[in-house]
Amino acid sequence: MKEDLISFKQKYKENPAWHWLQATVFLFPILPEYVSPFILFISFIIFKRQWTKEGRKAKVGTIGKLMMVFLTLAVVSTLWSSTKFSTFATAMLWWGMLLVEIMIYNLARSREKIDRLLAAMVYSGGLNAIVGTVQICTYTLYRFGYISQSAVLVTPFYRQLDKAVYSALPFDIVTSMWSTRASGFFSNPNLLATYMVIVYPISIYLYLNASTKNKKITFFIFNVLISAGMSSTMTRAGCFIAIAGWVFMFVILAKRHWKEMIQIFIPTVCIIIPSILTRYGLIFKTVGVVSGGGSGGAEAKKSSLAHFQIWDSLVDFLITNPKEFLFGTGFGVEETGLILLNNYGLDKPHAHNFLLETWVELGVFGMLLFMCVFVLAFGKLLEINANNGKKFTLVFCVFTSILLYLLFGLTDYIFNSPKQIIILFILLGLTQAISFCYEKTVINSPETLKLATIKEIDNAIHKA
């Protein structure tokens, strides 16, 4: 034990920024929303001091530069925003979260380090899943009368601390304190579902490429836990997208990994399907009871109808307001909530769709610029010559994580808190780091895009 501690101290002295980066990736999804950002800021200060001491300059990367253009527009939108404090504060929060992308791109410059960061994400996802599972199981036992309410693990985990902190702030922060759906260490079930969607494909990559039997068992267990965590949120879109993600990955990886993928599928389906049935009130109807009466099925249908009303209302707003159509109302969701409430009588905080929300906030130009960030990220992954099994599964699983993240964002707003926002920058940082570490066919014309696509299709057929 003493020797291990001495060894860790020596490794830490050699590269403190790297250890702080790992801690940030692991701890950010676990700590409260108002604590996690400070861990990142401390980590970046240590990184910057180390880089300055070593005479090195931090690189941002192509994706990072494009994101900085987008975030500059977000800050500038303060000029025409009617909710200036919210717009400026939200833009600054995004700028803060960008720091993790810069750190990953500069520090994770080996395949081993990329795997370490992916494992940190899965470990924190597994801990969130354990808490979420205990939350929903204890609540179910309480609803059926097997345990007292005092024995239920509170949802969200930091409920009492959240109330104390938010009530002490000079401005209002409204959060929905769910009881019937789990949220792990997050403040909302949909936030936990967002993280589960992200780490689900990554846990599969680590499981498929585990170097030892013990590691394989470990990552299989974490994949099962993540499925349970997703199930505990009873988020319909998240559950469906997780299953769709498995189907997508199975189709591509079946030639080489069909047995392992089937092993993953059995617990995934057995754990997630009951959650979907519960949400629609088909089983465990007592758990699905919502405030004000009604079954879980009625609540789910009401939620779906509300989404369509939100989307229809905001599309109508954009069509009938040319200035907002082009330039938006200002970054941050506060103005969107006011538009829905004052213009359409809908008491909803955001658009429940990240594309539509970005369009309302920054106009069609801002929305297209934001989409260019993702197109560039997918292009960076497509450039990589994934000519062996491990390399292919790495690229494909990170690609799938980003894809599932965006798909989930079509039914819910996926940038609603620091914990959700940093996920985006972690994925973009990993994409740039992977692109740096592996041989690639640079895409700079339609012809090179065609060649890279053909090469990846060939890799999928022969290497996956």
Side-chain angles (χ1 to χ4, degrees), residues 115 118 122 199-223 245-246 248-265 388-398 400 463-464:
D115 281 356
L118 293 174
V122 170
V199 295
Y200 180 77
I202 294 173
S203 69
I204 291 178
Y205 158 73
L206 294 171
Y207 168 67
L208 295 179
N209 294 282
S211 57
T212 66
K213 185 177 180 180
N214 287 339
K215 287 184 178 180
K216 203 171 189 68
I217 293 172
T218 297
F219 289 120
F220 177 80
I221 292 172
F222 271 92
N223 181 267
W246 178 90
F248 178 53
M249 297 176 72
F250 179 79
V251 170
I252 301 300
L253 301 175
K255 182 177 179 181
R256 181 170 181 174
H257 297 291
W258 70 270
K259 289 183 179 179
E260 294 99 323
M261 291 301 295
I262 292 294
Q263 290 170 351
I264 290 289
F265 183 67
N388 64 56
K390 181 175 181 179
K391 192 190 301 184
F392 181 84
T393 52
L394 170 62
V395 172
F396 178 68
C397 288
V398 172
T400 303
K463 304 298 181 183

Side-chain angles (χ1 to χ4, degrees), residues 59 104-111 113-114 433 436-437:
K59 297 181 179 179
I104 292 173
Y105 182 48
N106 286 270
L107 291 168
R109 295 212 157 185
S110 71
R111 302 172 189 183
K113 287 183 175 179
I114 290 170
F436 174 84
C437 290

Side-chain angles (χ1 to χ4, degrees), residues 12-34:
Y12 177 83
K13 288 180 180 179
E14 292 173 359
N15 196 350
W18 166 244
H19 289 84
W20 274 92
L21 174 59
Q22 291 182 88
T24 300
V25 172
F26 174 73
L27 291 174
F28 211 101
I30 295 174
L31 298 174
E33 303 279 3
Y34 35 83

Side-chain angles (χ1 to χ4, degrees), residues 132-192:
T133 302
V134 174
Q135 287 171 334
I136 196 64
C137 287
T138 53
Y139 175 78
T140 303
L141 291 172
Y142 158 68
R143 293 295 298 178
F144 281 100
Y146 291 107
I147 62 175
S148 65
Q149 188 172 10
S150 61
V152 176
L153 182 58
V154 65
T155 301
F157 186 83
Y158 299 111
R159 177 186 287 260
Q160 301 305 322
L161 184 59
D162 290 347
K163 288 182 178 180
V165 171
Y166 296 150
S167 62
L169 295 175
F171 48 85
D172 292 333
I173 293 182
V174 179
T175 59
S176 298
M177 298 291 187
W178 297 85
S179 296
T180 60
R181 296 164 56 196
S183 57
F185 291 109
F186 290 79
S187 59
N188 181 289
N190 289 347
L191 273 62
L192 175 59

Side-chain angles (χ1 to χ4, degrees), residues 364-377:
V364 66
F365 297 118
M367 187 265 288
L368 292 176
L369 179 60
F370 195 36
M371 290 310 299
C372 286
V373 172
F374 295 106
V375 171
L376 181 59

Side-chain angles (χ1 to χ4, degrees), residues 173-343:
I173 293 182
V174 179
T175 59
S176 298
M177 298 291 187
W178 297 85
S179 296
T180 60
R181 296 164 56 196
S183 57
F185 291 109
F186 290 79
S187 59
N188 181 289
N190 289 347
L191 273 62
L192 175 59
T194 304
Y195 198 56
M196 296 297 98
V197 162
I198 295 298
V199 295
Y200 180 77
I202 294 173
S203 69
I204 291 178
Y205 158 73
L206 294 171
Y207 168 67
L208 295 179
N209 294 282
S211 57
T212 66
K213 185 177 180 180
N214 287 339
K215 287 184 178 180
K216 203 171 189 68
I217 293 172
T218 297
F219 289 120
F220 177 80
I221 292 172
F222 271 92
N223 181 267
V224 173
L225 289 173
I226 290 165
S227 295
M230 175 60 75
S231 180
S232 73
T233 69
M234 290 197 287
T235 303
R236 292 161 296 152
C239 290
F240 282 122
I241 287 171
I243 293 175
W246 178 90
V247 173
F248 178 53
M249 297 176 72
F250 179 79
V251 170
I252 301 300
L253 301 175
K255 182 177 179 181
R256 181 170 181 174
H257 297 291
W258 70 270
K259 289 183 179 179
E260 294 99 323
M261 291 301 295
I262 292 294
Q263 290 170 351
I264 290 289
F265 183 67
I266 293 172
T268 295
V269 170
C270 291
I271 292 171
I272 291 180
I273 291 297
S275 176
I276 297 173
L277 297 177
T278 300
R279 189 72 199 279
Y280 281 102
L282 300 176
I283 60 174
F284 297 119
K285 294 184 179 181
T286 305
V287 181
V289 172
V290 296
S291 59
S295 67
E299 185 266 345
K301 292 174 184 177
K302 183 179 179 181
S303 175
S304 296
L305 179 61
H307 284 161
F308 285 114
Q309 289 176 328
I310 291 168
W311 299 336
D312 182 67
S313 299
L314 291 177
V315 169
D316 175 75
F317 174 81
L318 290 168
I319 291 174
T320 55
N321 293 272
K323 180 182 175 182
E324 285 73 14
F325 180 95
L326 293 174
F327 304 107
T329 60
F331 201 54
V333 299
E334 184 176 353
E335 181 63 21
T336 305
L338 293 175
I339 291 168
L340 290 170
L341 180 62
N342 298 331
N343 295 27

